[in-house]
Amino acid sequence: MGHVGAEPRYRNYSQAVEEILQREGPRGLFRGLAPTLLGIVPYAAVSFTAFEVSKTKLRLWHGVATDMEVPLHERLLAGSASGVAAQLLSYPLHTVRRRMQLAGPEELGAQGSLAYVTARDAFRQISANEGVGALFKGASITWVKGPLTVGFAFVVNDALKGVLHRRHTSHEHDQHAPLPGRGQVVDADASAPKLRAIDSLVIGGLAGATAK
């Protein structure tokens, strides 16, 4: 649970966990989790889908076959635009999450404005008491950093995957080179091995860490 004030409410994590369990029970440790999980789905879906669609359009525009042949700055802009669209859709859910994780009204004297029982209740109260625009408070600051971070992460992710694909493809061709005189034509894209799940996971983590 968060705290609003000059002095930190908790000295360390262990004290925070102990007090939250005493005051709210185990459920208090998961306060605001529902809107967090709900926000992840549209954010990931919109950002990845928009970026892949943008790259497809850019490949057709330039008449190239691979993403890496699209100019870097255009891929960066495509990733940033995808980040803007994703954050615009999911930002109200992040607002609700933050509000639900703030300290209770009995401590802040907030006249009940922060007394949210569920995510639905938070949406209802914020919209009724402060207007729909309150769900987007602070969005301008987020949209300055967020889109650039998302765009950079997408570009780094694609670059790392491209390097790994080339290494795998080169290794496969060395091991399974066609015999001369057979007249066989090998489709490099079709024969290229797919990345393992662990490879994609590590690459995504590195891309995210680099962007941060």
Side-chain angles (χ1 to χ4, degrees):
M1 175 187 295
H3 174 66
V4 175
E7 295 295 327
R9 176 176 175 80
Y10 307 113
R11 294 191 301 271
N12 49 54
Y13 282 107
S14 59
Q15 181 196 13
V17 171
E18 182 179 355
E19 289 196 21
I20 291 172
L21 288 174
Q22 289 177 352
R23 295 173 63 86
E24 304 179 55
R27 186 177 179 179
L29 295 174
F30 299 92
R31 188 176 180 87
L33 178 62
T36 299
L37 296 178
L38 289 173
I40 290 174
V41 175
Y43 180 85
V46 172
S47 60
F48 278 98
T49 301
F51 186 54
E52 292 301 323
V53 170
S54 298
K55 288 192 299 181
T56 299
K57 298 294 185 181
L58 288 172
R59 288 199 307 269
L60 293 174
W61 176 267
H62 289 285
V64 296
T66 65
D67 295 336
M68 299 305 294
E69 294 176 277
V70 175
L72 176 61
H73 70 278
E74 293 187 11
R75 283 183 282 131
L76 183 59
L77 287 174
S80 298
S82 302
V84 169
Q87 289 188 339
L88 178 63
L89 179 63
S90 62
Y91 196 85
L93 291 165
H94 293 302
T95 299
V96 168
R97 170 183 59 80
R98 289 193 299 271
R99 294 289 190 94
M100 292 184 69
Q101 290 173 341
L102 287 172
E106 71 279 2
E107 296 170 337
L108 297 178
Q111 303 298 323
S113 63
L114 298 178
Y116 307 128
V117 179
T118 63
R120 179 181 296 180
D121 182 48
F123 271 112
R124 182 183 61 79
Q125 288 200 44
I126 293 173
S127 300
N129 298 332
E130 304 173 53
V132 176
L135 293 171
F136 295 90
K137 281 184 178 179
S140 58
I141 298 176
T142 301
W143 290 337
V144 170
K145 175 187 175 184
L148 294 177
T149 301
V150 174
F152 191 70
F154 276 139
V155 170
V156 172
N157 182 72
D158 278 358
L160 292 175
K161 286 196 300 184
V163 170
L164 201 55
H165 268 304
R166 287 194 295 272
R167 289 187 60 183
H168 285 181
T169 301
S170 176
H171 180 68
E172 287 290 321
H173 286 177
D174 290 342
Q175 286 189 333
H176 306 287
L179 295 176
R182 293 294 184 88
Q184 297 179 347
V185 177
V186 179
D187 185 345
D189 292 333
S191 62
K194 300 297 183 181
L195 292 181
R196 296 173 301 173
I198 186 62
D199 292 333
S200 298
L201 184 63
V202 171
I203 287 173
L206 289 174
T210 303
K212 293 294 184 182

